[in-house]
Structure formats: structure tokens, C-alpha cells
Amino acid sequence: MSRIYDPTSKNIQKAAELLRAGALVAMPTETVYGLACDAANSEAVARLYAAKDRPQFNPLIAHICDLETAKHEGVFNQGALGLAHQVWPGPLTLVTPLAPTHTVCDLARAGLSSIALRVPAHPVARALLTAFGGPLVAPSANPSGQISPTSAAHVAKDMGDKVDFILDGGACEIGLESTIISCLSDTPQILRYGAYQAPDIFFAEQDKRKPDAPGALSRHYAPKATLRLNAAYPEGKEAYLGFGPALIHSTLNLSEAGNLNEAAANLFHMLRRLDETWPAIAVAPIPKTGLGLAINDRLTRAATRESISHD
Ligand code: AMP
Ligand code: MG
């Protein structure tokens, strides 16, 4: 049974320690309660997707303690800097190009070369980020498709023993997700409307030109190589991305033990590595259960080169 803890400095240190060991910790933010884990630890991120029962790998928001630290993860243009100075700490997420010094893992970014960053305002989230000392991904602490939690009791009820530790910061002030603004080009563009109300003049033109469904803007990582799925063996000039005990030679293997968690953690960086040198990739069958659903979803989209929408 999951336990709820008061945000004393001792409990915050304990939560930071657990996060360093790869645990899932629920933390209050001013928007909603987030299910946090070490953004640099792909095994922990895979557990987080599994705990939320997400059938897709959507890129996650990396929560950071301050702008200076955020600059290690993303490249801030003038627009991004202006918005960060104006709103952070606060309910605004900025999407920027990935910085060469980034630590956030491929799986947390769903393989993208951009990154979503936010400095939250809630004192408990800030204390935890400072104690932890690195970025935390923290999507809403509820199973996929359910309502976002705004109290520690909601989290305990919704996530049960899938969450290792819950920090109780009282009821969330805002109760609405952060606004997401892309700063990938010189003109910032709203990807999701949320708790921060962006000035109209700034964004009105784009919005008229391109009415976007919330969060549906970003394209996902698509390999240059062609992908063939459910392949029993490679043909011609194909690399083979295996899964499970190697009966035939795999160029790379997502998980020799046939562990879906390990396969999810390896998926994006292995695809990237193969894509660097091979024109075509054949992928072994992956079971369509648990995290296997998200892995198959991502592979299918990569094979058909579709963009995907987010929840
Ligand atoms: P949440 O579900 O509140 O954790 O928000 C995550 C959302 O952030 C995703 O569903 C995307 O819409 C958005 N997001 C995260 N990373 C990126 C990115 N690199 N580019 C565009 N949108 C992103
Ligand atoms: Mg949510």
C-alpha cells in the first residue's frame, strides 16, 4: 500500500534518495500532482510509463529547479529566455532544441531532439528538485485516460502501490496542466493551452493560421531507415533489432531476457544507433501486452512515418 508523507526536510531527502535509486515519487506541483522519476534513468522512465499504463510513449516534461540548470538541457533563444524570465517558476512549459550537455534520456523525450522544460513554483516540488539535483520527469500521477490528481489522497487512490512514496503538499492551487509553448523557431508557438495565459498579440497570428489540437504539434522521432516489423529474421541489407533469447544473430537486442521494461528503456537509443549506419531495420516480434503495447505503437508509427498526438 502506498504511503503519504508530510513534506518535512527529512522526507524530502528520503524522496530524493529513492529517486536516485530509480523509484517513482508523487510530488505536488502548482498545476497537478506529478508522478516523478529520474529523467536521466531510462529504466525508471520505462517503469513510469508502465505505472501510468500509457499505450503510447509521449514525450514527458522535464522539471528543473532553475533556469540556469535548464540551460544544460535545452538551448534557449531570445523568445525562450524572455518567457522563462517572465513566468518561471510557474505553470509554463517551454519546448527547446536539446542542448549537447543534456542528461534527460531518449525514452523520456520519445527520441525527439527537442525537450520540454518547466521550472515549477510549488515549494515542495522545488525543494525536491533541489535535493535531487537533476531533472525529474513528472506527468500527472494518474493512470492514462483518467483525471489528473490534485491531492495526495487522489494519487494514493489512483496509483495504489505503483507509486513508491507520496509527498503531501496539500491541494494543488491551479489544478490545470501547464501551458506548453514551443520555442524551436524565432516565433514562439502555443502547443497546449493551460494554466499560463499567454498574451494574445504574441500568438494570435499563428493560432489563426494553424489551429492545433492540444499537444498534437510535435512530430515524433522517425528513423531515416525503413522499418519492417514482426520480422523473424533479417533480409538483404537489413539490420536486425532482436527481442528475447537470440535464436538468430541480432545486430542489437532490445532485451535478451525478453523483458519489456528493458526493451522500452533501450528502444529509442538502439533505433538511433542502427539508423546511423543501416538503410533498413527488421524488428523482431514484440508481445502486445503491458509496455509492449507502447513499443509496438511507436514502432508502427515509425514504420509508417506518421506523427502522433498526445494526451
Ligand atoms: P503532460 O502529459 O502534462 O506531462 O505533458 C506532456 C506533453 O508535453 C506531451 O504530451 C507533449 O504534448 C508535450 N511535449 C513534451 N515534450 C515535447 C517536445 N519535445 N515537443 C513538443 N511537445 C512536447
Ligand atoms: Mg494528465
Side-chain angles (χ1 to χ4, degrees):
M1 199 37 213
S2 56
R3 301 279 303 278
I4 299 178
Y5 295 86
D6 284 333
T8 59
S9 56
K10 197 166 146 243
N11 284 337
I12 283 171
Q13 289 304 330
K14 173 75 187 157
E17 236 169 73
L18 285 167
L19 286 166
R20 279 190 281 274
L24 305 184
V25 170
M27 69 171 181
T29 80
E30 69 277 29
T31 59
V32 299
Y33 271 74
L35 187 59
C37 80
D38 180 355
N41 179 342
S42 51
E43 299 268 338
V45 175
R47 274 190 64 215
L48 189 151
Y49 280 112
K52 276 188 65 82
D53 213 5
R54 268 196 178 180
Q56 299 174 340
F57 294 130
N58 291 339
L60 303 172
I61 297 169
H63 294 69
I64 318 263
C65 60
D66 56 32
L67 174 58
E68 281 318 300
T69 316
K71 286 180 187 166
H72 291 289
E73 302 296 326
V75 178
F76 283 69
N77 61 17
Q78 284 309 316
L81 279 178
L83 284 162
H85 283 301
Q86 206 184 317
V87 190
W88 282 357
L92 171 65
T93 296
L94 296 174
V95 174
T96 70
L98 198 60
T101 48
H102 74 273
T103 59
V104 172
C105 68
D106 280 338
L107 182 59
R109 294 179 287 101
L112 291 172
S113 52
S114 58
I115 186 163
L117 298 163
R118 178 162 104 83
V119 176
H122 197 290
V124 176
R126 292 175 66 75
L128 183 60
L129 283 164
T130 306
F132 177 69
L136 294 172
V137 285
S140 53
N142 55 280
S144 192
Q146 295 187 19
I147 296 168
S148 299
T150 52
S151 75
H154 290 166
V155 179
K157 183 163 169 282
D158 294 352
M159 299 305 302
D161 56 11
K162 290 181 180 163
V163 53
D164 300 302
F165 199 91
I166 302 172
L167 281 169
D168 188 353
C172 298
E173 225 172 88
I174 300 179
L176 181 72
E177 272 83 358
S178 63
T179 300
I180 304 180
I181 295 180
S182 167
C183 296
L184 294 177
S185 69
D186 287 342
T187 326
Q189 195 169 8
I190 294 197
L191 301 186
R192 176 174 84 184
Y193 291 92
Y196 165 69
Q197 293 205 349
D200 284 353
I201 347 143
F202 211 25
F203 302 103
E205 270 314 300
Q206 273 116 350
D207 288 350
K208 265 182 243 146
R209 278 208 312 269
K210 209 174 175 188
D212 300 300
L217 251 192
S218 76
R219 285 198 54 87
H220 268 233
Y221 166 65
K224 294 189 293 299
T226 54
L227 282 191
R228 190 165 64 85
L229 309 184
N230 298 309
Y233 48 83
E235 287 170 0
K237 289 200 164 71
E238 285 176 337
Y240 192 59
L241 184 57
F243 175 81
L247 301 176
I248 55 160
H249 175 74
S250 297
T251 321
L252 292 174
N253 196 320
L254 288 167
S255 168
E256 277 177 27
N259 178 320
L260 288 167
N261 205 72
E262 187 184 13
N266 284 330
L267 180 66
F268 289 103
H269 79 88
M270 286 192 173
L271 275 179
R272 255 178 213 281
R273 268 176 60 193
L274 294 179
D275 197 23
E276 276 163 19
T277 43
W278 294 80
I281 305 166
V283 187
I286 317 280
K288 293 185 174 64
T289 55
L291 273 188
L293 290 173
I295 296 173
N296 276 295
D297 171 78
R298 181 78 285 273
L299 285 169
T300 306
R301 288 169 197 280
T304 54
R305 293 161 192 279
E306 276 174 38
S307 68
I308 84 163
S309 61
H310 309 298
D311 65 7

